[in-house]
Amino acid sequence: SSGINAEYGGDGPGFDKSCWFDVKFTLGLDFPNLPYLMDGDVKLTQTVSILHYLSAKTGLYPKSSNPADISRYDMIDHVIIDFFFVGIRLCYSPPDAFAANKAAVIERGKDFMKQFSSALGDNKYFAGDDITGTDFLMFEAIDMFVKLDSAFIEQDNLKKYMERIRELPQLQKYFTSPDSTHNWALNNKHASFR
């Protein structure tokens, strides 16, 4: 989504890659990449690393201290990233490839959904009764596919899971405000599906 304007009615400014490449190696990041996070002396890159840091900092890290449980949640985060990129690649493909490949990509996404459904089981969240950062990453990834295909979610437990997150009191303004970033385009102007 664009960080410029909730309306996103136009092409936006004329950004080019130099706005990143000109500063990429001057920020003191060990592994310069996007996204990055700077929080005091903490400088991180990579989505999952940032997710884990913010989850720990905000009390949304898994409560279990069992290494097997922690590793399972970490594994789920990485599978979510794989799932996300199946959809992202489609969104950034040329328009003719987008149209030609959309149905196959939706089916590939549904294969992931079967696995996610099995992993969630009867739990409220992927860590049982406790919501974690993993759940927000999962919500965002599934929501992207729902925007590609409104009938995407076939599993009842995942439908209820998505509703449960959407109904969190802390997120009501995010989902209901017309100024919310939730209403912005998913991708930038170079994507076939924004």
Side-chain angles (χ1 to χ4, degrees):
S1 63
S2 163
I4 299 164
N5 178 339
E7 301 287 319
Y8 197 76
D11 285 335
F15 291 124
D16 63 45
K17 293 178 181 178
S18 67
C19 66
W20 166 242
F21 289 120
D22 287 354
V23 299
K24 180 177 181 175
F25 295 103
T26 67
L27 300 174
L29 299 166
D30 291 334
F31 302 98
N33 203 351
L34 296 172
Y36 67 85
L37 170 98
M38 294 183 176
D39 184 26
D41 292 338
V42 176
K43 295 181 179 184
L44 295 171
T45 57
Q46 300 299 327
T47 301
V48 173
S49 298
I50 293 168
L51 173 71
H52 289 180
Y53 173 77
L54 291 174
S55 295
K57 188 171 179 171
T58 60
L60 292 172
Y61 201 71
K63 306 292 185 264
S64 175
S65 59
N66 180 330
D69 290 342
I70 299 299
S71 294
R72 179 179 180 272
Y73 308 136
D74 189 51
M75 175 182 65
I76 292 170
D77 290 338
H78 286 86
V79 174
I80 296 168
I81 296 296
D82 292 345
F83 170 61
F84 222 132
F85 276 103
V86 167
I88 293 292
R89 279 188 213 98
L90 174 68
C91 292
Y92 280 90
S93 63
D96 56 335
F98 177 86
N101 296 323
K102 181 179 176 185
V105 168
I106 294 296
E107 288 309 308
R108 177 69 183 115
K110 287 181 179 182
D111 290 340
F112 277 92
M113 292 292 280
K114 291 173 190 168
Q115 296 173 49
F116 294 145
S117 177
S118 178
L120 179 62
D122 293 330
N123 293 320
K124 285 177 65 175
Y125 303 108
F126 281 88
D129 288 337
D130 299 319
I131 194 165
T132 67
T134 295
D135 295 297
F136 294 104
L137 184 63
M138 181 70 78
F139 181 92
E140 183 180 5
I142 293 173
D143 195 49
M144 175 189 63
F145 273 90
V146 168
K147 288 177 181 171
L148 288 166
D149 176 3
S150 61
F152 179 71
I153 306 173
E154 297 174 340
Q155 298 79 7
D156 286 339
N157 66 336
L158 289 175
K159 287 178 184 176
K160 290 175 185 171
Y161 169 81
M162 294 294 283
E163 289 170 16
R164 194 175 298 119
I165 292 177
R166 190 174 296 280
E167 292 171 358
L168 288 169
Q170 302 91 324
L171 296 181
Q172 287 308 296
K173 184 177 179 185
Y174 173 73
F175 287 119
T176 60
S177 171
D179 297 328
S180 169
T181 59
H182 183 68
N183 299 315
W184 292 3
L186 288 174
N187 302 300
N188 70 36
K189 66 182 181 177
H190 301 291
S192 293
F193 182 84
R194 296 199 284 176

